[in-house]
Amino acid sequence: MDVQPSLAPPPPPPPPLGGHGLHRFANPGRFLRLSGAVLPWLAGAGILLTALGLGWGLFGVPADYQQGDAVRILYVHVPAAQMALGGYLVLAFVSLASIIWRHPLADLAAAEIGPVGAAFTALCLGTGSIWGKPMWGTWWIWDARLTSVLILFFLYLGHVVLVRAFDDPTRGQRAGAILALIGVVNLPVIKFSVDWWNTLHQPAAITLSGAPAMHLSMLWPLLTASAGYACLFGAIVVARTRAAVLERRLQGLLLVRTEAAR
Amino acid sequence: MTGKRRRIYLVLACAIGLGSASALTLMALSDNLVFFLSPSQLAEKAPQGGRAFRLGGLVESGSLYKQTIDGHPQAKFRVSDGAASIEVEYDGILPDLFREGQGAVALGSLRPDGKFRASEVLAKHDESYMPREVADALKKSGHWNPSAGPPPPAATWNTLPTKPGG
Amino acid sequence: MTHLPYILVSYALGIAIPLGFGLAALHRMRAVGRKLAAIDRRTRS
């Protein structure tokens, strides 16, 4: 077979290191630009929707036929629970990016998601407890739903401690990523605990398969508050990651200066 | 890129191993993770020797009997799951949500006479949320008798107007 | 309103926690921004 000189243009030069795939976003300059543009909108939407949703839940929603006004706690409890689970999902994805693609930004983001997720999980547990006392008659009960969410809280705490536990940050980040991925097992357990086992906690009112077991006048404020919390959670994580990137740049600059001064 | 590919396979292998291990564990545990027993489960196999356990089910309509003796509230009611029911005695204050036709979970033990002696009673509420007006409308139209059980399917009421004619 | 104390504590927590984290993050961004700007000025002068 003859080797013919090709008339096609020469193949493009290989992309610069880290210039393709997910590593496009690893470029801190790109991340800073992108997040700087998104952050004000995310924060604004979060504040607006949360204020609307919680205000609606507190003053606009009719009292429940059996729970009375205590049902209003739902508008804090359910969005907090959604963020506890959703935040962990993001943490797991970011950990996957850290382990497989060795994505430097992913490590920074993982360390910043942990504390926020832990706080929202604590909020979910706290409001659940406050809701449980007048309705169920107890602050706490070791049923499958409550216990699995408590485990989620400990997973977050473990991640927070682990990523900061080593002198060599890379080792902590690797260990934290592995812990976060192992903990993913807990997410379906939380979600389906109310269906798999007898629990004191009631099953989900809003399901993909059927009509929501919640009157629309109570559902819309919940969806608003959920959207608000999601935006707030995102804004907080993006802001913290921005700060972490800038702090790293600052450290680098200080290091260069001290070396130069020598 | 072999390093990346190797890590992907490693993560996949770990995920499969971990996933199946936890699925097996959960399946093995599922019998022991029972938070409460229903009256029919109890009729089949009752815990022996006054062991404490939790009993759960619906509070039978018309079975609740409350009295206060020397300032100590006492209650008697029957817990049922449709197929079987059992009488429960409890000294203490019942939670706000405790009602006939609603779920309840009681901690206690079986007495020799076959009654359940509760030391703690918790109310279990179902997952339906509706304004009072809607609940009243359902009751008035005869679609739902709250003391007989949970409300009808949500699609029949979750868009009803909250004000008559509104 | 029934159960008012329970409701108020829940909403207070639900507002305080995101607010606290948000303000802390804002403060952190501003602090590091200030320090970077200071270094920038010194290297230029």
Side-chain angles (χ1 to χ4, degrees):
Chain A
M1 192 178 157
D2 282 344
V3 180
Q4 300 235 333
S6 169
L7 291 177
L17 205 62
H20 59 279
L22 268 177
H23 277 273
R24 270 181 302 133
F25 299 105
N27 177 349
R30 193 189 298 259
F31 169 76
L32 287 177
R33 268 199 310 281
L34 203 70
S35 65
V38 165
L39 190 53
W41 293 98
L42 207 55
I47 292 168
L48 211 70
L49 288 172
T50 304
L52 185 65
L54 291 190
W56 199 350
L58 193 53
F59 301 112
V61 163
D64 184 64
Y65 75 104
Q66 52 172 343
Q67 302 195 25
D69 287 300
V71 76
R72 300 180 197 285
I73 297 173
L74 178 108
Y75 299 94
V76 182
H77 177 71
V78 170
Q82 287 167 339
M83 283 305 103
L85 293 178
Y88 198 91
L89 215 55
V90 176
L91 176 64
F93 178 76
V94 158
S95 300
L96 196 68
S98 154
I99 283 187
I100 291 181
W101 292 284
R102 297 273 191 261
H103 196 303
L105 201 61
D107 289 321
L108 286 183
E112 300 304 331
I113 293 170
V116 187
F120 277 77
T121 312
L123 178 60
C124 167
L125 287 168
T127 50
S129 193
I130 292 170
W131 197 4
K133 181 61 187 169
M135 291 298 107
W136 295 342
T138 183
W139 298 103
W140 181 262
I141 194 87
W142 292 100
D143 85 346
R145 171 56 76 80
L146 277 67
T147 308
S148 53
V149 174
L150 187 66
I151 290 172
L152 179 73
F153 180 61
F154 288 143
L155 280 170
Y156 270 126
L157 284 191
H159 185 267
V160 168
V161 173
L162 199 55
V163 291
R164 292 161 177 82
F166 293 90
D167 289 334
D168 173 12
T170 324
R171 289 184 62 191
Q173 285 154 356
R174 195 105 337 134
I178 291 169
L179 174 75
L181 285 179
I182 291 174
V184 170
V185 172
N186 193 29
L187 293 185
V189 173
I190 293 177
K191 175 81 185 101
F192 297 111
S193 55
V194 287
D195 304 321
W196 290 344
W197 300 295
N198 290 335
T199 53
L200 188 63
H201 195 287
Q202 71 281 8
I206 303 164
T207 56
L208 287 178
S209 52
M214 183 182 272
H215 194 266
L216 286 186
S217 61
M218 303 164 122
L219 184 62
W220 283 114
L222 176 61
L223 297 180
T224 310
S226 291
Y229 258 36
C231 292
L232 276 187
F233 192 97
I236 292 170
V237 167
V238 167
R240 288 173 64 104
T241 309
R242 254 181 94 79
V245 169
L246 292 174
E247 279 160 7
R248 172 161 289 196
R249 176 179 283 181
L250 179 69
Q251 269 175 0
L253 283 177
L254 289 176
L255 206 68
V256 169
R257 272 171 26 125
T258 41
E259 303 246 308
R262 248 177 231 166
Chain B
M1 275 302 138
T2 52
K4 188 179 95 183
R5 176 145 294 178
R6 206 192 57 220
R7 291 196 296 272
I8 290 179
Y9 287 134
L10 201 66
V11 167
L12 276 181
C14 289
I16 292 169
L18 187 71
S20 45
S22 28
L24 287 173
T25 316
L26 287 174
M27 267 199 270
L29 274 177
S30 62
D31 289 340
N32 299 324
L33 268 174
V34 173
F35 177 65
F36 57 76
L37 296 170
S38 65
S40 351
Q41 285 171 318
L42 206 59
E44 241 171 61
K45 206 178 98 194
Q48 295 302 309
R51 224 186 76 214
F53 64 97
R54 286 198 180 86
L55 167 73
L58 290 185
V59 181
E60 224 172 67
S61 180
S63 73
L64 179 61
Y65 173 72
K66 283 198 270 194
Q67 61 177 17
T68 304
I69 297 172
D70 302 334
H72 297 289
Q74 295 183 347
K76 271 187 215 169
F77 53 91
R78 294 187 73 84
V79 167
S80 140
D81 61 355
S85 76
I86 181 170
E87 181 150 0
V88 179
E89 286 185 7
Y90 172 62
D91 298 348
I93 302 165
L94 292 167
D96 289 8
L97 268 193
F98 186 91
R99 257 159 242 187
E100 291 180 353
Q102 283 290 320
V105 175
L107 173 69
S109 55
L110 273 184
R111 286 197 320 210
D113 64 0
K115 287 181 184 171
F116 187 83
R117 176 87 213 160
S119 58
E120 184 187 24
V121 173
L122 304 175
K124 176 174 160 64
H125 63 84
D126 57 39
E127 68 277 23
S128 35
Y129 301 89
M130 61 173 95
R132 279 202 190 100
E133 293 90 337
V134 172
D136 289 344
L138 282 176
K139 282 180 234 169
K140 211 178 282 176
S141 64
H143 287 303
W144 177 37
N145 173 13
S147 64
T156 62
W157 53 261
N158 67 5
T159 54
L160 285 182
T162 50
K163 287 182 190 72
Chain C
M1 220 180 249
T2 61
H3 308 103
L4 194 61
Y6 297 98
I7 298 170
L8 288 185
V9 173
S10 295
Y11 275 73
L13 283 175
I15 293 167
I17 286 178
L19 191 71
F21 270 81
L23 289 180
L26 196 68
H27 179 76
R28 217 175 120 189
M29 276 198 310
R30 288 218 171 125
V32 71
R34 264 201 311 276
K35 283 179 197 155
L36 277 173
I39 285 186
D40 246 16
R41 270 200 305 280
R42 254 177 283 167
T43 40
R44 262 189 221 140
S45 60

